[in-house]
Amino acid sequence: MTKIDKVLYTGRTHTTGGRDGAARSDDARLDIKLSPPGSSQPGTNPEQLFAAGWSACFIGAMGLAAGKRKLKLPTDTAVDTEVDLGTTDGAYFLQARLKVSLPGLDRELAQAIVEEAHQTCPYSKATRGNINVELSLA
């Protein structure tokens, strides 16, 4: 396990009620209702939040990978992330798919950027070896 030498940022939230509750960040920039996946109740769920966070982080990691190549990511770069909540033998698990769009980049170059980002993105590191993750180019 890698220990962080220097903390750059700490996200802090206060959550009540679990999947039927609410979450608020200490700076009040995040203030959301939570609802179970697939329900018609107002609010989002942890899987959607995880997908959004991972996508945003992954785009940042791709930007670093592109920068090493003296490139900028296309302005319409996007990551469509799906996070599944499921069960196997009665235990809950997650799995994910990240579909990356890097319009205008050569496919081989785009694939290299995606692969490097997957090695450096903290979300990818946190999930590596723990959940099934599929990466693809749009």
Side-chain angles (χ1 to χ4, degrees), residues 91-114:
Y92 290 98
F93 293 95
L94 297 175
Q95 64 184 17
R97 291 170 301 286
L98 284 76
K99 186 175 183 180
V100 179
S101 177
L102 293 166
L105 287 187
D106 170 78
R107 190 160 185 87
E108 187 175 310
L109 174 59
Q111 187 65 46
I113 288 171
V114 167

Side-chain angles (χ1 to χ4, degrees), residues 47-120:
E47 291 72 27
Q48 290 172 329
L49 293 169
F50 187 61
W54 195 351
S55 297
C57 185
F58 202 86
I59 290 172
M62 287 193 303
L64 292 174
K68 287 181 183 177
R69 293 164 173 81
K70 308 260 191 267
L71 299 170
K72 287 190 175 190
L73 291 179
T75 57
D76 47 355
T77 294
V79 178
D80 294 318
T81 301
E82 297 176 336
V83 174
D84 299 324
L85 170 66
T87 59
T88 298
D89 297 327
Y92 290 98
F93 293 95
L94 297 175
Q95 64 184 17
R97 291 170 301 286
L98 284 76
K99 186 175 183 180
V100 179
S101 177
L102 293 166
L105 287 187
D106 170 78
R107 190 160 185 87
E108 187 175 310
L109 174 59
Q111 187 65 46
I113 288 171
V114 167
E115 288 173 12
E116 184 175 332
H118 192 50
Q119 294 305 309
T120 59

